Amino acid sequence: MKNILRCLALVFVLAAQGAMAQPYPNKPVKIIITYPVGGPADQIARELAMGLTQNLGQSFVVEAKPGASGSIGTAFVAKAPADGYTLLVGAGAPQTAFPVFSAKSPYDGVTEFSPILMIVDVPNVMVVAPHIKAQNVKEFIELAKTKPMTYASTGTGSSTHLAGEIFQLETKVKLTHVPYKGATPVMTDMLGGHVDVSFLNLSAMLPHIQSGRLRAIGLTAANRSKALPDVPTLTELGIKDITGSWYGLLAPAGTPEAIVQTLYQAANKYFSQPEVRARIEAGGSDLKLLNPQQFREAIIQEKAELTELNKILKLRIE
């Protein structure tokens, strides 16, 4: 009997050691997005999930946890086990802006995360609703000085909110901010004539611009977009703007370096393919592909810049 028990114990030990020795990932991985399904974060997360699934041979599943300017999903991943099985497609607003503007942010945005890969930069595009007759930024400014105007954003403290605030500072017009919980409801209300203008991610607005349902009049980027070469940047028009969005892959702080590198190499390999790059850029985004160290430095720098900006804007999310 003792020999049988010893054999059984040995079997269990060997089985446990075998399970521990299995390479990462050995079970499905969740990728959390902080905005509703259908928006830019969802689009890039599903592209990422497809690439990681292909390259690592395990299922990567996208799960939305929207709300509170993206802070709900971000806080969820910040507190998740650092084992590589709960990841975040982070964005600039919840990652760096919310901790700056919030009176009680549940996270710092830097210390709780291990950056893996900054995937894309996405400029914001100034778009007017169909009922607004302005054909360009100059005409919009003239119109806004004669009547009350509203602008929509994907949430207080988001880059789409900041773009509108900076636009008002630069042009001396007054717009009333209407925050939403994501890009999809903004587009619905713009098409319905319920809000006048927005500064949403180009990747979210592009299909509606290309179809002619919404009119793009300016871009918050240093250079014109390949997807909209005829739309001038606000900088070209003499309007200073530093806003835009990024989307990238992060894990909870303390995730083993081997797992971080596995994910970085697999994701970078996928997005480096010419056909994938072409598809991303055709959708209005610019591939960045910053490595973990570069990504961390970019997050720290952006948070510092937003801290300085808020000395002027004095925004506070309660």
Side-chain angles (χ1 to χ4, degrees):
M1 176 63 73
K2 290 183 178 179
N3 288 336
I4 293 174
L5 292 174
R6 288 196 192 98
C7 288
L8 287 173
L10 181 59
V11 167
F12 285 126
V13 169
L14 291 174
Q17 290 177 342
M20 293 175 62
Q22 289 180 358
Y24 170 87
N26 55 37
K27 62 182 181 179
V29 180
K30 286 195 297 187
I31 299 178
I32 304 300
I33 59 172
T34 63
Y35 293 106
V37 171
D42 183 48
Q43 293 169 10
I44 199 67
R46 293 187 187 283
E47 188 81 46
L48 170 67
M50 182 168 63
L52 291 176
T53 298
Q54 288 179 6
N55 287 335
L56 295 178
Q58 185 57 260
S59 295
F60 284 74
V61 181
V62 177
E63 180 179 325
K65 289 188 178 295
S69 300
S71 65
I72 291 176
T74 306
F76 176 83
V77 177
K79 298 174 183 176
D83 58 5
Y85 289 97
T86 303
L87 306 174
L88 173 70
V89 165
Q95 201 73 38
T96 60
F98 190 84
V100 170
F101 301 130
S102 175
K104 45 185 177 180
S105 175
Y107 55 85
D108 171 78
V110 177
T111 58
E112 303 92 342
F113 296 93
S114 293
I116 297 170
L117 176 72
M118 181 187 282
I119 304 169
V120 294
D121 261 341
V122 187
N124 290 326
V125 60
M126 184 178 180
V127 174
V128 293
H131 66 278
I132 300 298
K133 303 306 179 185
Q135 299 297 312
N136 53 53
V137 173
K138 181 180 178 182
E139 290 182 7
F140 178 84
I141 293 171
E142 292 172 353
L143 185 61
K145 289 180 178 178
T146 66
K147 58 178 292 188
M149 302 281 269
T150 57
Y151 83 95
S153 80
T154 54
T156 302
S158 66
S159 71
T160 64
H161 174 205
L162 297 182
E165 293 299 314
I166 294 172
F167 184 83
Q168 292 178 80
L169 285 174
E170 288 285 306
T171 61
K172 306 297 188 279
V173 300
K174 177 61 178 175
L175 305 173
T176 299
H177 177 220
V178 183
Y180 289 77
K181 292 183 178 181
T184 302
V186 172
M187 290 184 286
T188 299
D189 274 10
M190 285 199 74
L191 291 169
H194 302 298
V195 287
D196 300 319
V197 65
S198 69
F199 300 81
L200 263 61
N201 286 179
L202 176 55
S203 58
M205 303 300 278
L206 190 58
H208 300 284
I209 296 168
Q210 292 173 331
S211 71
R213 301 175 74 193
L214 295 174
R215 187 183 313 115
I217 58 176
L219 201 68
T220 67
N223 303 300
R224 294 194 183 197
S225 170
K226 294 178 182 178
L228 287 178
D230 296 330
V231 177
T233 68
L234 294 181
T235 303
E236 287 178 55
L237 303 173
I239 302 170
K240 180 182 177 182
D241 193 283
I242 62 170
T243 64
S245 297
W246 54 260
Y247 295 99
L249 180 63
L250 303 100
T255 298
E257 182 63 21
I259 292 177
V260 169
Q261 286 301 315
T262 294
L263 290 165
Y264 166 69
Q265 291 168 14
N268 187 62
K269 177 182 177 182
Y270 177 75
F271 283 106
S272 295
Q273 296 175 95
E275 64 272 21
V276 176
R277 176 181 290 273
R279 183 166 62 247
I280 296 293
E281 292 180 345
S285 300
D286 296 320
L287 274 178
K288 295 295 287 185
L289 302 186
L290 301 187
N291 65 35
Q293 182 58 38
Q294 293 169 327
F295 192 4
R296 178 177 295 280
E297 291 170 358
I299 292 172
I300 293 171
Q301 180 179 344
E302 181 173 276
K303 189 177 178 185
E305 290 173 352
L306 290 173
T307 300
E308 289 301 310
L309 176 62
N310 205 35
K311 292 178 181 178
I312 300 171
L313 297 180
K314 295 180 170 54
L315 295 177
R316 183 57 89 194
I317 303 172
E318 298 296 337

